[in-house]
Structure formats: structure tokens, C-alpha cells
Amino acid sequence: MSTARAAEPVRPADVLKDPGHLKTLLLSGLGGIPVSLVAFWFLAGIHELQHALWSGLPHALRGGGRCRCCSYPASWSG
């Protein structure tokens, strides 16, 4: 007959205080900063590209003039 004891269940409080867990948390936080900066600048670039395509390109293709088919009252332009 074996007298081996069953392993104790792991308590969440012990896991949170473990140095390995704290190092992983710190590494994740430090890695998240450059990732979030890259994501921000990517979205800023996409915004500028959309603005150029939807505003600047039609204006450039028309030669700077207003299109007769898309004209709107002057009061709308502010």
C-alpha cells in the first residue's frame, strides 16, 4: 500500500505572488507599449490615407473645380 500524499491544489493568491508571474506581467506591460504605439501610428496613417483618397484625389482629378453633378448649395460649405 502506497502512502503518497495527493498534491495540494494551487491557490490563486500564491500564483499572483510568484516571482515568475510578476516577471511575466512586467514583460507583457513593457512589450505592450511599443505594440500600442505601432498600432496608433498605423491607424493615424490609415486616417490620413483615407482623407487623401476621399477628399484630395477627387479634388485633384476635377482640376480644383466643383463637379456640376455633385454641386450643393453654397450655404452648406460653411
Side-chain angles (χ1 to χ4, degrees), residues 6-74:
E8 280 187 39
V10 178
R11 294 186 339 197
D14 293 338
V15 173
L16 293 176
K17 294 177 185 175
D18 183 40
H21 177 75
L22 295 176
K23 289 178 186 176
T24 303
L25 199 59
L26 180 64
L27 183 65
S28 299
L30 291 175
I33 293 170
V35 169
S36 64
L37 288 174
V38 167
F40 171 79
W41 288 113
F42 175 75
L43 289 176
I46 292 294
H47 173 75
E48 290 299 320
L49 181 63
Q50 286 178 343
H51 182 71
L53 285 175
W54 292 102
S55 297
L57 186 61
H59 184 70
L61 292 176
R62 285 194 307 259
R66 188 180 293 180
C67 179
R68 280 184 274 148
C69 66
C70 303
S71 62
Y72 50 86

